[in-house]
Amino acid sequence: MKKKSAIHLCLAGGLVLLIAQLSLLMLLLYPYKHHRNNLIKDITVIVNITSKLHFSLIVVDSEVLQHYSNQKLSSKNSCLLCEPRNPATFVIFYKGIRQSDELVSVLKEAKFQVVVLQNTNPPEVPSGISINVPICYLLKRNTVIHIVLFHEREGNYWWHGNILSDPTAISELSTFGLSVHGVQMMKSEGAYDKFETEHVEIDAISFLIPKDIPHFLREATNSRFVECNHMLADSFHRVHGKDTTHEAMRFVHRAWKLLSKAKAILDKLGVRFWISSGTCLGYFRQCDIIPHSKDVDIGIFITDYTEQILPEFLAHGFTLKHWFGKINDSLELSFTSGDLKLDIFFFYEDGRFVWNGGTQAKTGKKFKYIFPRFTLCWTEFLELKVRVPCETQAYVEANYGSDWFTPLTRWDWKSSPPNVRENGEWASDEWAQVMRVYN
C-alpha cells in the first residue's frame, strides 16, 4: 500500500512539474507572439495610410528581405515580419513638406506616437537639400517602426540623412528604448542608385520591395555618403577667386563630360573607382574641377581590375595614350578623348598603406605614391554620384601636403608630391611590355 502511494505521489509530482514547465514555456512564447501580432497590426495600418496618401512604402529591413529571399528558395512559409530584432525599417520617398505634414497628421490620428527627425545640423551643408527637412519618422503604437525618407538628388539618385544630424535624435531614440546602434539605417548619410521595386505579399500584407534584393543589400552595406564642403569651397573662392573665363568654363564642362563617360563605362562593368589626384583635390578644396589641371584622374583598386576595361574604353571612343607597369606592379593607364586626358591609377595594398605607381618612360624609373589606408564613400560631384576616399583630407594631404589650400602653378609629378618615393627601375628587357606609349 505504501509502495502504491509513493508511486502515485511521484506521478502527481511529475505532472505538477510538467504543468509548471509548460506554463513557463507559454509565458516565454506569449510576449513574442504578442509582439508579432502587434507588429503586423501596426504595419497593416501604416500600409493602408501610406497607400491612401499615395506614398510608396518599401520594405528595406535587411532581415525581412534576407528571410524573404531564403523563403522563396526553400518554399517554406513562415512569419517574415516576426524576424527583425531592430525596429522594422521601411523607406518612403520624400514629396515635400506639405505632404510630409499630412502623413504625420494622419498617423497621429491613427494613435501612433510620431517623432520627426530633421536634417537640422548636417556635417556639411547639403547641395540641393534644404536644412531642417524631415529625414525620418519614428513611430510607435504597439511596436516601434522606423521609416527612412529618401530624397531625390540632382545626380538622379536617392539620398538619406544621418540620424545624428538632428541634435534631439539620441534623446528621442531613448524614449523608444533605442540607441543609434539600434537602427539599421542612417548611422551615416547614405546614397543609393534608383532601383526598381515590385509588389509582393508578406504575411498577408501587400508591400513594395527592391526587385533585386541581393544587389540592394550589397548597396546598403556600401552606401555611406559624404557631402562636398561647400563652405570650404566658398572660402577658397573668396581668397583665390574663381576662374570664369571662357577657356576655363569650357575645360570644366568637357572634363565633366569625360568623367561622366568614364563613370558610365566603369559602372556598367561593376568596377569601383574614385576621383583621385588633382580631380580629388578640386573636389575637396573647391567642389569643382580645377580649370588649369588639363586632365581627369581616377583610382581603382587592383583587386577590381578586369581585362574588360581596355576594350570597353576603346569601344566608347577613347584612345589609349599609354600603358605603364604590370597588373601586379605599378599599373597605370592613360586614355585620351579629343585633347583631354583620363589617367587611371591602380592602387595596391601594403600593410598599413596603399600605393599607386608611376613610370618615367624615358629612363624606366619607377615611382611609388604612398597613402594611408582609406575607405570609399559616395559623394555628389557636379551632379555626378561618384566615390571619394571617406578620409578625404588625409588622402589629399598625403598627395599635396598641408598647404593644399593654396593653388600651385608649378608641379612635377616625380618630385612635388610629398608621398612620392623612388621605386627602382624596370629591367631593360621588360621595357616593351611595361612602357607602351602610343601617339
Side-chain angles (χ1 to χ4, degrees), residues 351-368:
R352 295 182 296 112
F353 302 97
V354 295
W355 61 275
N356 71 280
T359 296
Q360 187 178 34
K362 292 180 180 180
T363 64
K365 284 186 177 181
K366 299 169 61 180
F367 298 87
K368 178 184 285 190

Side-chain angles (χ1 to χ4, degrees), residues 134-186:
I135 53 175
C136 77
Y137 308 133
L138 295 170
L139 312 178
K140 184 175 182 181
R141 191 168 69 168
N142 298 296
T143 57
V144 181
I145 293 167
H146 183 204
I147 298 182
V148 180
L149 296 179
F150 271 17
H151 293 254
E152 185 175 15
R153 294 288 293 254
E154 291 181 349
N156 196 34
Y157 63 93
W158 297 113
W159 170 90
H160 69 69
N162 179 345
I163 203 164
L164 292 179
S165 293
D166 190 321
T168 69
I170 293 177
S171 61
E172 295 288 8
L173 285 167
S174 67
T175 64
F176 288 90
L178 298 173
S179 68
V180 174
H181 300 293
V183 294
Q184 287 187 30
M185 296 177 70
M186 300 186 68

Side-chain angles (χ1 to χ4, degrees), residues 216-395:
F216 177 83
L217 293 177
R218 285 194 302 272
E219 193 172 15
T221 61
N222 298 287
S223 63
R224 186 180 170 192
F225 179 95
V226 293
E227 193 75 56
C228 184
N229 191 333
H230 298 278
M231 294 179 66
L232 177 64
D234 290 341
S235 174
F236 176 84
H237 291 134
R238 282 196 302 270
V239 174
H240 300 290
K242 187 172 184 177
D243 190 346
T244 57
T245 62
H246 174 74
E247 293 77 10
M249 300 300 287
R250 182 171 180 271
F251 169 76
V252 169
H253 176 68
R254 292 170 65 231
W256 177 90
K257 290 179 68 175
L258 182 71
L259 178 60
S260 178
K261 192 174 178 181
K263 169 181 163 60
I265 294 169
L266 293 171
D267 285 352
K268 176 186 173 184
L269 295 176
V271 174
R272 295 180 304 163
F273 76 94
W274 64 93
I275 52 176
S276 187
S277 302
T279 307
C280 187
L281 174 63
Y283 156 81
F284 181 66
R285 188 175 66 187
Q286 55 217 74
C287 296
D288 207 344
I289 292 170
I290 301 172
H292 61 264
S293 59
K294 304 306 179 189
D295 59 12
V296 172
D297 305 305
I298 64 175
I300 296 175
F301 287 117
I302 196 63
T303 50
D304 290 324
Y305 172 81
T306 169
E307 292 181 353
Q308 295 175 289
I309 290 175
L310 180 56
E312 280 293 327
F313 272 87
L314 297 178
H316 285 82
F318 284 86
T319 301
L320 182 62
K321 181 177 177 62
H322 69 239
W323 170 301
F324 289 155
K326 304 176 183 177
I327 294 173
N328 64 353
D329 183 7
S330 305
L331 183 62
E332 173 192 341
L333 301 181
S334 184
F335 294 94
T336 56
S337 179
D339 60 348
L340 291 186
K341 187 159 68 79
L342 171 72
D343 288 324
I344 304 180
F345 303 107
F346 290 87
F347 282 66
Y348 301 78
E349 298 182 8
D350 185 5
R352 295 182 296 112
F353 302 97
V354 295
W355 61 275
N356 71 280
T359 296
Q360 187 178 34
K362 292 180 180 180
T363 64
K365 284 186 177 181
K366 299 169 61 180
F367 298 87
K368 178 184 285 190
Y369 301 84
I370 300 171
F371 296 82
R373 278 185 176 268
F374 55 87
T375 51
L376 293 177
C377 284
W378 291 109
T379 194
E380 183 173 309
F381 183 43
L382 302 176
E383 299 182 13
L384 290 176
K385 176 177 173 267
V386 293
R387 295 179 183 88
V388 292
C390 302
E391 304 79 8
T392 320
Q393 183 165 340
Y395 186 86

Side-chain angles (χ1 to χ4, degrees), residues 94 97 100-101 115-122 130-137 149 151 159 161-169 172 186:
Y94 179 70
I97 193 66
S100 177
D101 289 345
V115 170
V116 182
L117 296 182
Q118 297 181 321
N119 198 43
T120 305
N121 187 28
S130 300
I131 302 296
N132 298 330
V133 296
I135 53 175
C136 77
Y137 308 133
L149 296 179
H151 293 254
W159 170 90
N162 179 345
I163 203 164
L164 292 179
S165 293
D166 190 321
T168 69
E172 295 288 8
M186 300 186 68

Side-chain angles (χ1 to χ4, degrees), residues 39-109:
L39 178 62
I40 291 176
K41 288 178 183 177
D42 288 352
I43 291 175
T44 301
V45 173
I46 293 170
V47 167
N48 290 335
I49 290 173
T50 53
S51 177
K52 287 179 182 177
L53 295 178
H54 305 291
F55 283 95
S56 298
L57 187 73
I58 305 171
V59 181
V60 295
D61 190 288
S62 58
E63 294 181 24
V64 174
L65 293 178
Q66 191 62 62
H67 282 86
Y68 176 80
S69 293
N70 294 341
Q71 181 173 287
K72 283 180 67 178
L73 294 173
S74 66
S75 300
K76 290 182 180 179
N77 194 10
S78 60
C79 175
L80 299 182
L81 293 176
C82 309
E83 300 297 344
R85 293 187 298 271
N86 301 305
T89 307
F90 300 85
V91 153
I92 62 173
F93 300 126
Y94 179 70
K95 295 182 176 182
I97 193 66
R98 185 177 64 82
Q99 293 87 344
S100 177
D101 289 345
E102 182 182 12
L103 175 59
V104 169
S105 176
V106 176
L107 287 167
K108 287 180 177 178
E109 289 175 5

